[in-house]
Amino acid sequence: MKNPFTALPPKLTAMPEQVHQHVGIELFEVSSPPSVIGNFGQDAVLPCQISLQTQPKNMEVKWEIIGDKSIDNIYQFTAVTGQETFGPGYLGRVGLVKEGVATGNVSLKLKKVQINDEGTYRCVVKSSDWIAQTQTVIHVAALGNVSIEVLGPEGEGMKLSCVSVGWFPEPELRWLAKKSQNLQFKSKQDHEQLFSVWSNITVLRDTGKITCSVHERSHLQRTQESTILLSRDIFPDTFPWLSAFCGLLTVAITLSVGVGVAVYCRCKEKQKESKRKQDEEEKRTLLGRPCKIKKAKEV
């Protein structure tokens, strides 16, 4: 069977200024934008419009994806019979926007866009007399979310972590804060080829507002941010050794005072004991002496 999309003779692919020379032939062009954005997980439309603003006679439409090494058919529609043919892996995922076919709109609807759908697509329209084509590029994009987590004290500051998941293509991450240090940045892709990015940072006391900003520059050109403000009370002491020294000094003073009190109390006990012994000795001396009685003188 002859391929209905075989290239026509050169005289039927003439430049626009030559088109009108072919009397009785239904001539047309097809057009599409250079590129479109397909949001990951959502439906996208690849535009293709016939210049006649109507359906050509015996119209057949074919959509192809152009790879580095091959051109694969993903969808074909024959207007006369209404037959649809799907390429491998595209059954139930692609189809024409049927309500627009009568007005020459043969755009392709692509369901639940995946990362692998990114690429160049070609729309080929053939009638009984003519064939025309156009192509467009779909850029797949995914917008992620951003969150900041406080990991805890580190040195004289507080360690924070910023995590952002669900991006495509790979975004850029940066911290917006003063008095920051120890900046680290990592990224990876998951099984759906979406990017996750994360970074740790150590901020010092009085840093103020801290913002983690994640930006995708190539497709969406969108930015997602998360901001926190840390209280001074959660930071460790500016001089950790000072607290330790004050603690040791307090213990030393307490011990010194305790020893002094113990020595004083011991001395007082010894003084009381010595006084008690002295009083007993004097009492025994007095009891052992003979009593002398003096007679009164006579007058």
Side-chain angles (χ1 to χ4, degrees), residues 27-205:
L27 307 178
F28 58 87
E29 297 176 343
V30 291
S31 61
S32 63
S35 64
V36 296
I37 297 293
N39 292 311
F40 178 83
Q42 301 180 22
D43 296 347
V45 174
L46 304 175
C48 184
Q49 178 66 50
I50 302 172
S51 61
L52 296 176
Q53 301 297 316
T54 186
Q55 179 178 309
K57 184 179 179 181
N58 298 323
M59 182 185 72
E60 294 182 9
V61 179
K62 181 171 68 171
W63 276 92
E64 304 168 325
I65 182 168
I66 304 175
D68 295 333
K69 299 180 179 179
S70 64
I71 299 176
D72 299 321
N73 297 335
I74 63 173
Y75 179 79
Q76 187 169 323
F77 173 72
T78 303
V80 174
T81 62
Q83 181 181 0
E84 295 178 299
T85 304
F86 299 89
Y90 287 93
L91 178 61
R93 287 201 66 216
V94 294
L96 296 184
V97 182
K98 295 297 179 61
E99 58 271 17
V101 172
T103 58
N105 183 355
V106 288
S107 301
L108 185 73
K109 185 175 183 179
L110 179 61
K111 298 180 179 179
K112 296 183 178 179
V113 172
Q114 304 298 306
I115 303 302
N116 290 334
D117 291 326
E118 186 164 89
T120 302
Y121 291 77
R122 181 162 63 190
C123 171
V124 184
V125 180
K126 179 184 178 297
S127 71
S128 301
D129 304 316
W130 194 250
I131 186 171
Q133 65 182 35
T134 185
Q135 64 185 41
T136 188
V137 176
I138 181 171
H139 297 294
V140 179
L143 185 66
N145 55 62
V146 184
S147 63
I148 297 178
E149 179 182 359
V150 180
L151 300 181
E154 183 173 90
E156 298 178 8
M158 189 65 60
K159 188 174 183 179
L160 307 178
S161 176
C162 177
V163 178
S164 185
V165 300
W167 290 87
F168 192 86
E170 184 178 11
E172 298 177 358
L173 184 152
R174 61 175 179 165
W175 289 94
L176 306 176
K178 62 180 181 179
K179 299 183 179 180
S180 61
Q181 55 184 238
N182 300 338
L183 180 63
Q184 300 175 358
F185 175 85
K186 294 181 180 179
S187 68
K188 68 176 182 179
Q189 281 182 283
D190 60 18
H191 66 284
E192 294 181 306
Q193 300 186 54
L194 297 177
F195 282 93
S196 296
V197 293
W198 66 97
S199 173
N200 294 337
I201 191 174
T202 300
V203 296
L204 304 178
R205 190 190 301 267

Side-chain angles (χ1 to χ4, degrees), residues 152-259:
E154 183 173 90
E156 298 178 8
M158 189 65 60
K159 188 174 183 179
L160 307 178
S161 176
C162 177
V163 178
S164 185
V165 300
W167 290 87
F168 192 86
E170 184 178 11
E172 298 177 358
L173 184 152
R174 61 175 179 165
W175 289 94
L176 306 176
K178 62 180 181 179
K179 299 183 179 180
S180 61
Q181 55 184 238
N182 300 338
L183 180 63
Q184 300 175 358
F185 175 85
K186 294 181 180 179
S187 68
K188 68 176 182 179
Q189 281 182 283
D190 60 18
H191 66 284
E192 294 181 306
Q193 300 186 54
L194 297 177
F195 282 93
S196 296
V197 293
W198 66 97
S199 173
N200 294 337
I201 191 174
T202 300
V203 296
L204 304 178
R205 190 190 301 267
D206 298 325
T207 298
K209 185 172 68 174
I210 304 142
T211 298
C212 178
S213 177
V214 183
H215 182 67
E216 193 283 300
R217 295 182 180 276
S218 59
H219 296 347
L220 295 176
Q221 298 186 7
R222 293 278 300 278
T223 300
Q224 295 281 72
E225 293 183 344
S226 180
T227 301
I228 63 171
L229 181 62
L230 298 179
S231 169
R232 298 179 77 255
D233 297 336
I234 72 170
F235 284 86
D237 292 329
T238 305
F239 301 102
W241 58 267
L242 185 59
S243 295
F245 174 76
C246 291
L248 291 174
L249 182 61
T250 301
V251 172
I253 293 174
T254 302
L255 291 175
S256 298
V257 171
V259 171

